[in-house]
Amino acid sequence: MLLLKNSLDSIDEPTVAACQQLDVEILVLARPVYGLLPTRGLRRFGGLPWIRLRSSQRRRASLHVKRCLDLGIIALSALPALPLILAITIVLSFTGPPFYRQQRVGTGGRPFYMIKFRTMRPGSEHDTGPVLAQPEDTRVTRVGRHLRRTRLDELPQLWNVIRGEMSLVGPRPERPEFIAEFRQLPHYDLRHLVRPGLTGLAQLTGGYAATVEEKLRCDLFYLNCRSLRLDLSLLALTVLDLFRGFPRG
């Protein structure tokens, strides 16, 4: 058994891979940022909570099931989602294009175009260039602020999920303009081993206010501990926040 007290962004990946090949159980010290996770998955040693990492073989076996889960949930949610998408499209059309496409980095570092509802004024980055979203972004319209608070601006990304460019749950895809800077953080490219997600642990715990380092820590945790049970838990929390509003929107 190997106990790791450091956060996942400082763990030597070859060491983890070697331990998993030798069937050595790896337990990572749970951090406060992981508080959304079910406590039944925690183990305690020395009065501290630890989380067991899943083997890479089991993770690969779950990819096909995860894809089927994504498509099944989209099919079941199509009836309520389509009228909502149509209504938002009509409202946004009064002030400009309702959708916009933005290049993001996906699985394997490959770029793709993510679709979102427009929440900012048209041409908002014309003078500034690419800028990271902020909690109180002055470029966001009044309707866009409500869409962001409820995350309804992400609904068009269901099309990206259908196309296989994204999953319902996973690390949020970043813009290529920021990737070069973010890659200076240890193990940042590990986020690109899985499909990016419409929602994820980092968005539910930190939202727009979270730093890049905090998001990476959540993403690396998800990468090492992901499971269908965890995906369903995060999806349930996302649906709950759709109704009560994301507090960090």
Side-chain angles (χ1 to χ4, degrees), residues 9-154:
D9 48 339
S10 62
I11 294 173
D12 182 56
E13 186 67 17
T15 300
V16 174
C19 289
Q20 291 180 338
Q21 290 179 356
L22 296 173
D23 292 328
V24 175
E25 187 176 30
I26 304 175
L27 298 178
V28 177
L29 181 63
R31 305 277 165 169
V33 75
Y34 309 149
L36 290 177
L37 298 177
T39 55
R40 62 178 177 275
L42 299 178
R43 298 179 61 180
R44 289 194 170 273
F45 288 99
L48 298 174
W50 303 83
I51 303 172
R52 182 172 62 88
L53 301 190
R54 301 175 67 243
S55 69
S56 57
Q57 182 176 3
R58 288 185 59 192
R59 292 199 299 267
R60 286 194 298 269
S62 67
L63 289 179
H64 179 69
V65 180
K66 178 178 173 67
R67 177 64 177 158
C68 292
L69 177 67
D70 285 346
L71 296 178
I73 291 177
I74 290 176
L76 292 174
S77 62
L79 189 60
L82 288 176
L84 183 58
I85 291 174
L86 178 60
I88 296 173
T89 301
I90 293 173
V91 171
L92 293 178
S93 296
F94 288 108
T95 58
F99 304 98
Y100 80 96
R101 297 167 71 244
Q102 191 177 73
Q103 192 175 60
R104 298 293 178 103
V105 178
T107 314
R110 294 184 294 273
F112 71 100
Y113 281 95
M114 188 177 74
I115 306 173
K116 295 186 70 174
F117 278 125
R118 179 180 56 82
T119 58
M120 296 185 181
R121 298 184 301 274
S124 58
E125 291 189 339
H126 182 268
D127 297 325
T128 63
V131 178
L132 284 171
Q134 302 296 325
E136 298 294 335
D137 203 318
T138 57
R139 301 169 297 168
V140 179
T141 64
R142 184 170 59 180
V143 175
R145 190 171 294 107
H146 177 73
L147 292 177
R148 284 190 170 203
R149 187 176 65 84
T150 57
R151 296 302 192 268
L152 291 176
D153 61 319
E154 315 286 2

Side-chain angles (χ1 to χ4, degrees), residues 210-223:
T211 65
V212 177
E213 292 80 4
E214 289 169 343
K215 291 178 181 178
L216 177 60
R217 183 166 294 174
C218 289
D219 292 339
L220 293 179
F221 173 81
Y222 175 79
L223 180 69

